[in-house]
Amino acid sequence: GSASDSRLFSRVWSVSPTRTSDGTVQLRVVASEAPARNLEYGISRSLYNDLWEGEVDFSHCNLFGGGERLNLMVRRGTKEPQPSFNFKFTSSALSPDHGAYDIEAFNEYIGVTGHEGGASSRRGVTIRFPRLFTSTAASASIEKTLAG
């Protein structure tokens, strides 16, 4: 990824390497910082059950000042007994090669069909290491489907 792909900057004016007297290279970035927080909301009609649902999404693209990302989503349909949520934390976008990881937890209302007419939901947690080794990724997931 590049500096402009990190979503930390709304506009990158220039990126230039500069060699220092000790032989190292410093990267000079001239950019405008993007707003760190974003809130979106909406109402839509579901393609799955043809019911109306509302959704609120919140994201913070620089949570601790090092490019960490936090995303929260809550969605609820008009006839759903419980809301669905998704929580995702991603470690620094600035240094993806140094211990990058993300954690995602979710509780998703599935519907009222398939489980003897009862409501059901999916719950789970996923941990990903997108660059554990060169050109490889690792992840672990735990998921459970609950019938109401």
Side-chain angles (χ1 to χ4, degrees):
S2 67
S4 60
D5 291 338
S6 72
R7 295 179 44 192
L8 291 174
F9 309 111
S10 61
R11 182 156 185 188
V12 176
W13 302 96
S14 70
V15 178
S16 58
T18 305
R19 187 170 302 276
T20 63
S21 60
D22 66 357
T24 60
V25 175
Q26 290 183 348
L27 186 62
R28 181 172 185 236
V29 178
V30 179
S32 300
E33 187 173 5
R37 292 179 283 288
N38 187 37
L39 179 66
E40 297 177 0
Y41 52 91
I43 297 174
S44 62
R45 193 159 185 112
S46 173
L47 295 172
Y48 299 106
N49 58 22
D50 201 35
L51 297 173
W52 289 97
E53 59 187 24
E55 182 171 319
V56 176
D57 294 293
F58 171 78
S59 63
H60 196 300
C61 294
N62 198 12
L63 189 62
F64 301 118
E68 304 85 5
R69 295 181 188 167
L70 173 69
N71 296 67
L72 300 168
M73 181 278 300
V74 177
R75 180 180 58 243
R76 184 155 191 180
T78 54
K79 296 190 179 189
E80 294 177 1
Q82 63 192 30
S84 297
F85 76 84
N86 187 292
F87 163 86
K88 184 174 181 181
F89 174 80
T90 303
S91 65
S92 179
L94 295 177
S95 58
D97 296 329
H98 301 294
Y101 64 93
D102 64 60
I103 300 170
E104 184 173 4
F106 60 89
N107 180 39
E108 182 178 49
Y109 176 73
I110 298 172
V112 294
T113 58
H115 290 283
E116 295 152 9
S120 59
S121 63
R122 282 176 60 231
R123 294 181 182 161
V125 175
T126 301
I127 300 172
R128 294 179 198 86
F129 299 93
R131 291 171 194 88
L132 190 60
F133 301 107
T134 304
S135 301
T136 64
S139 67
S141 297
I142 298 172
E143 185 175 318
K144 184 173 184 173
T145 302
L146 304 169

